[in-house]
Amino acid sequence: VPLYVEELTKTILASDILRDAGKHFELTGPLSSLAIPDTLQESLMARLDRLPLVREIAQLGSVLGREFAYEMISGLSAGGDGALQEGLSQLVDAELLYQRGRPPRAKYIFKHALVQDAAYSSLLRRTRQSHHLHVARLLESSFPDIVDTSPELVAHHYSEANEGELASNYFCKAGERSLRISANKEAIAHLTKGLEVLGAMPAGPGRAQRELNLLMPMGPALIATTGYASADVEPALRRALELCREIGDTDKEFSVLQSLSLFHLLRGDLQVTRRLSEQLVDLAKGKQKSGA
């Protein structure tokens, strides 16, 4: 692993067993006295440990992602701008981060994804969740443009913060947004993630409605990518129909019944199609009587 070799070389150069003799280095003691990290992770953490004042800054940056903006990390850092800029400069000098531009418009990139992983994995779970929660709230309060264009980013941070309800809401927004611009595979990915987050939560008020909100755009996204008669479409439509009836949402139930009847029609399941069509007629008559 080239990065490991590079990190090991820097560890040796920073140790006390080498003396700079101009054109070469000389050993000042036995090489066996140098503790060599067993893994790249240990080597990277050892470097961060030698920079204790900026390790927290690296950890905050790792929560934001491989690349992050100064204006984002400054909204999270507990210290002042002076301390933050000094800490970031140390990380850049240590070649753990690359810098583009100057604060407050600077952007920072971890030298390697493994550097980000090392900083991120060094966080305690509770601290990590707290940082993700702060990032999500910062995005909502100070970066509305990012929330509008990348709701999946907010969803990710709420998901990592163990805020399942908020995460599923944003994954739903991300799926709906992708569906509107015909990015159907992206829509399916966002909606599936939302359903996974929701599935890991205990049952509670509003869960059925949230699941239905995720399934309603899932149907059209699946139809657009796999076709109306694809076997992947039916489970989503069937579950959406169950939830519509559980909640009592007849408007959505009518829409789902239409899609489900067309699915069976295209597959040649004419008896099922007829039953579903009759349900559509009964639902329409019921709505007409109620004046809805």
Side-chain angles (χ1 to χ4, degrees):
V1 180
L3 184 59
Y4 177 76
V5 176
E6 184 180 336
E7 288 298 315
L8 183 58
T9 303
K10 287 179 179 177
T11 299
I12 296 172
L13 291 173
S15 69
D16 296 329
I17 67 168
L18 284 183
R19 180 174 64 85
D20 190 349
K23 294 183 178 180
H24 65 279
F25 290 93
E26 294 179 352
L27 282 172
T28 60
L31 192 61
S32 59
S33 64
L34 180 67
I36 298 177
D38 292 330
T39 65
L40 176 59
Q41 175 98 3
E42 290 180 11
S43 177
L44 292 170
M45 283 311 304
R47 281 233 282 154
L48 286 173
D49 288 340
R50 290 196 293 271
L51 301 168
L53 297 179
V54 300
R55 182 174 56 189
E56 183 179 348
I57 295 174
Q59 290 170 331
L60 278 176
S62 72
V63 172
L64 289 169
R66 174 81 187 276
E67 181 176 339
F68 58 91
Y70 177 83
E71 57 185 348
M72 284 290 296
I73 198 169
S74 66
L76 300 173
S77 177
D81 280 350
L84 176 61
Q85 290 181 25
E86 175 61 26
L88 288 168
S89 294
Q90 288 187 40
L91 288 168
V92 172
D93 292 340
E95 296 185 358
L96 292 170
L97 292 179
Y98 295 133
Q99 179 179 341
R100 292 177 181 171
R102 298 173 62 85
R105 298 187 180 278
K107 288 188 177 181
Y108 298 88
I109 306 169
F110 280 97
K111 176 181 177 178
H112 196 284
L114 293 173
V115 178
Q116 179 196 355
D117 290 344
Y120 188 78
S121 63
S122 68
L123 287 164
L124 296 174
R125 182 180 179 183
R126 186 181 297 274
T127 305
R128 187 184 303 169
Q129 289 180 342
S130 176
H131 286 337
H132 278 292
L133 183 60
H134 290 157
V135 174
R137 289 176 174 171
L138 178 65
L139 287 168
E140 287 180 322
S141 63
S142 303
F143 299 92
D145 291 344
I146 295 178
V147 175
D148 289 340
T149 58
S150 302
E152 66 277 6
L153 180 61
V154 190
H156 163 73
H157 287 294
Y158 271 131
S159 178
E160 293 299 321
N162 201 30
E163 294 287 342
E165 291 185 2
L166 292 169
S168 67
N169 290 343
Y170 274 105
F171 276 124
C172 184
K173 291 179 181 179
E176 290 172 339
R177 183 180 184 278
S178 295
L179 186 63
R180 285 197 300 272
I181 60 174
S182 299
N184 298 299
K185 290 186 177 180
E186 284 185 9
I188 292 170
H190 296 322
L191 297 168
T192 299
K193 183 63 177 177
L195 289 168
E196 290 173 357
V197 169
L198 202 61
M201 294 170 53
R207 177 171 170 171
Q209 184 63 62
R210 288 189 178 88
E211 185 179 356
L212 180 59
N213 291 343
L214 288 160
L215 286 171
M216 289 302 294
M218 178 70 87
L222 286 170
I223 290 167
T225 54
T226 64
Y228 242 114
S230 170
D232 295 332
V233 174
E234 185 180 19
L237 294 178
R238 286 286 180 186
R239 180 57 181 159
L241 185 61
E242 291 175 9
L243 291 168
C244 286
R245 289 170 175 171
E246 179 183 332
I247 296 169
D249 192 330
T250 55
D251 288 338
K252 286 190 175 73
E253 181 182 353
F254 195 90
S255 175
V256 174
L257 273 172
Q258 280 184 310
S259 297
L260 199 54
S261 62
L262 184 54
F263 164 81
H264 284 286
L265 176 64
L266 293 176
R267 289 178 67 90
D269 303 328
L270 300 183
Q271 290 185 349
V272 179
T273 304
R274 178 172 180 173
R275 287 199 300 270
L276 292 169
S277 299
E278 289 170 349
Q279 292 175 32
L280 273 169
V281 172
D282 291 340
L283 189 62
K285 287 178 178 179
K287 290 174 67 69
Q288 189 176 32
K289 288 180 180 177
S290 64

